[in-house]
Structure formats: C-alpha cells, structure tokens
C-alpha cells in the first residue's frame, strides 16, 4: 500500500511548472560568501525573471518539505532517491532518462541506479576532473567524456548527436535534465570553455529534442560556480519561453520542428 504523504499537490493551471522556495538560498552569518558556489543564485534567477515580467509569486510552485515519515520511507529502501519514489507515485511513469550535462560525472545517481533497467543515463562531463568514479561509470548507458577547454561547437554537436541516439535507444516516460552551468568558460572547477550563449543554446537544444518527442522534462539547475550564472540561467528560461518550449503553449511543440538538426553533424 502506498505510503501516505503530503509531498504531492494539485497545481492549478494558473501556475507555471517552476518549483522554487526562498529556503533554497543558503545563508550562514555571511560565511556563504567565502564559498565558490553562489548559494543564493536561485533567488537571483527568480528576481531576474520577475524583472522581465515573466513571473510573479502567484505563478510559482513552492515545494513542500518532506516529513520524517517520508524520509524514513526513502532510507528503508537503501537510500532510495526521489526518482525511484516517482516510479511508485506517479501513474504512467515506469521508465526515465537522466541527461546529465553538469561538467562533473554524476556518480551519485549512477550508483543509485546501478543495474536498474528502468533508468537510462546519458552523462557528458570533463573526464579529467572530480569524481572520476570508475565503478559508477558502469551505470552510464551513453558516456561522452570531454577534454579540458572544450568549446561551444564541439560541445553542442556532441550533446545533440548523443541525445538523439539516447532517446532512440530508450524511450522514457520522463526526462530528468541536469542543466549544470559549471560548463561555463572561466569556471575553475568545471574546466570547460562554453560561452553564455552556448549554455542558452544547449538548454534550447535539449528542450527542442525532448519536447519534439512529446516527452515531459524536468530541468534542475545544478552546479555553476560563478556569480554570473544566475543571469545566464534566467536568460535561458526567457529564451525557452520565447520559443514556446516552456509555458502554456509548450505542449504544442511538434516533432517535425525538432527533426531539423540544430547544428551540423560534424563531430562524432
């Protein structure tokens, strides 16, 4: 019998599928300013989108905090994470694809889903940086390892080519997209050299391909260790909205539109 929970809620049509809470922004006596990660970037993204008149507070969905009972359910299943919880809770969700475009290998979810045939993992990362988890790599179904300083053209071509193949190999019920901005040029921890325009284009590319197949997509913003990442994330969301890839009209995006290559197929 399903565990009773208050985590799931009805979302009115007047609200956007953007989940945010002010509690996402971490502060601790100003010490957060000493950390390379901008712990307040999510609040900055929302503020920028409000300035652009795209959002208001009444249009956001605020996540509910998991109770102790909810977390005990997770941990009694050996650190069962949210996506596995999703399989148990949401009708029609039995297969998922994780598209991890953070600069680092996603060894956490790879270890979590090791051997789970319901979950297909595509991971594109800098092969020279943390964590270099060889065991976790066994869970990756489509692995794209990048070199130091990889730039826009090569990166975007590899993402497009491999995402198309991933969705051909495994048609999921949902795509979970890890849209890390630590791929940005100048990010000392990511070690790649993608321009701000390249980050925006990457998100557009992923949404066009996924929405063109009439698949739902959940985007999480993930890593990004520069102060300018909030502006870039906001610009990307504005771009997705202007193209009809998110918002009230997003469901009307056709597969025909997405079949036109966004980039020339030059890089294997």
């Amino acid at each position: 019998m399903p565990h009773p929970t208050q985590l799931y809620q009805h979302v009115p049509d007047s609200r956007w599928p953007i989940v945010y809470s002010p509690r996402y922004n971490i502060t601790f006596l100003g010490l957060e300013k000493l950390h390379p990660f901008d712990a307040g970037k999510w609040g900055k993204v929302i503020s920028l989108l409000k300035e652009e008149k795209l959002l208001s507070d009444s249009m956001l969905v605020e996540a509910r905090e998991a109770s102790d009972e909810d977390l005990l359910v997770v941990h009694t299943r050996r650190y069962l994470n949210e996506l596995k919880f999703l399989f148990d809770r949401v009708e029609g969700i039995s297969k998922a694809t994780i598209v991890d475009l953070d600069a680092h290998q996603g060894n956490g979810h790879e270890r979590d889903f090791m051997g789970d045939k319901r979950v297909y993992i595509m991971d594109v990362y800098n092969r020279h940086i943390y964590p270099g988890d060889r065991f976790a790599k066994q869970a990756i179904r489509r692995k794209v390892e990048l070199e130091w300083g990889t730039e826009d053209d090569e990166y975007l071509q590899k993402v497009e080519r491999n995402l198309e193949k991933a969705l051909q190999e495994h048609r999921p019920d949902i795509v979970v997209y890890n849209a890390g901005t630590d791929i940005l040029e100048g990010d000392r921890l990511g070690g790649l050299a993608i321009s701000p325009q390249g980050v925006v284009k990457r998100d557009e590319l992923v949404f066009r391909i996924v929405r063109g197949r009439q698949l739902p997509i959940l985007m999480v913003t993930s890593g990004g260790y520069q102060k300018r990442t909030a502006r870039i994330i906001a610009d990307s969301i504005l771009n997705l909205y202007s193209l009809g890839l998110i918002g009230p009209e997003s469901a009307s995006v056709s597969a025909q539109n997405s079949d036109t290559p966004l980039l020339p197929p030059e890089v294997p």
Side-chain angles (χ1 to χ4, degrees):
M1 182 176 178
H3 166 70
T5 180
Q6 299 298 315
L7 287 177
Y8 297 91
Q9 57 183 298
H10 170 71
V11 178
D13 292 339
S14 60
R15 299 200 178 202
W16 276 53
I18 295 180
V19 180
Y20 170 73
S21 169
R23 288 177 292 179
Y24 293 169
N25 304 300
I26 302 170
T27 59
F28 185 72
L29 303 175
L31 294 178
E32 70 279 358
K33 297 177 182 178
L34 302 177
H35 196 278
F37 189 85
D38 184 359
K41 74 175 182 180
W42 295 281
K44 294 174 184 175
V45 170
I46 296 300
S47 295
L48 289 166
L49 294 175
K50 287 179 180 178
E51 289 175 10
E52 297 288 346
K53 310 299 182 185
L54 183 68
L55 294 176
S56 63
D57 287 333
S58 63
M59 298 167 67
L60 296 170
V61 177
E62 182 165 353
R64 294 175 177 174
E65 184 175 359
S67 67
D68 289 344
E69 290 76 16
D70 293 322
L71 296 175
L72 284 170
V73 170
V74 172
H75 289 290
T76 55
R77 298 183 186 181
R78 298 186 63 83
Y79 204 58
L80 189 65
N81 66 20
E82 293 177 7
L83 190 55
K84 288 188 179 180
F85 202 43
L86 183 67
F87 287 139
D88 296 335
R89 287 289 172 182
V90 182
E91 184 177 354
I93 302 295
S94 61
K95 295 185 298 180
T97 291
I98 297 174
V99 178
D100 189 344
L101 302 188
D102 186 273
H104 300 80
Q105 177 198 353
N107 63 323
H109 60 74
E110 289 159 9
R111 284 176 173 264
D112 285 340
F113 293 109
M114 183 75 68
D116 191 332
K117 300 301 182 184
R118 298 175 299 179
V119 180
Y120 181 108
I121 298 174
M122 169 179 158
D123 200 349
V124 182
Y125 57 90
N126 184 339
R127 63 191 296 263
H128 300 289
I129 62 174
Y130 177 86
D133 189 334
R134 293 183 179 180
F135 175 76
K137 289 180 183 181
Q138 298 176 63
I140 305 173
R141 302 276 288 278
R142 182 156 288 273
K143 177 174 61 178
V144 183
E145 295 188 321
L146 304 174
E147 298 295 331
W148 291 109
T150 298
E151 297 181 347
D152 288 16
D153 288 347
E154 178 184 352
Y155 177 78
L156 293 171
Q157 289 161 13
K158 286 185 173 180
V159 168
E160 180 177 24
R161 177 184 174 90
N162 285 279
L163 181 55
E164 293 276 11
K165 288 186 174 181
L167 295 176
Q168 290 170 6
E169 293 172 1
H170 176 93
R171 181 174 175 85
D173 299 311
I174 189 169
V175 172
V176 178
Y177 169 37
N178 183 11
T181 49
D182 51 359
I183 64 169
L184 188 64
E185 58 190 1
D187 193 305
R188 291 179 293 175
L189 298 182
L192 302 177
I194 310 304
S195 69
Q197 295 79 13
V199 175
V200 172
K201 190 66 176 179
R202 177 202 64 178
D203 294 346
E204 176 187 333
L205 185 156
V206 172
F207 269 77
R208 278 195 185 276
I209 292 173
V210 174
R211 298 298 290 151
R213 286 167 171 74
Q214 305 299 310
L215 296 172
I217 179 170
L218 170 64
M219 173 180 170
V220 293
T221 54
S222 186
Y225 304 94
Q226 300 181 69
K227 298 299 183 183
R228 58 178 176 157
T229 58
R231 176 72 261 179
I232 295 168
I233 293 169
D235 287 343
S236 180
I237 293 172
L238 291 165
N239 181 59
L240 294 173
Y241 173 72
S242 71
L243 295 170
L245 294 168
I246 60 172
E249 303 301 321
S250 63
S252 66
V253 177
S254 69
Q256 182 178 0
N257 289 339
S258 73
D259 287 340
T260 302
L262 299 178
L263 297 161
E266 297 174 355
V267 178

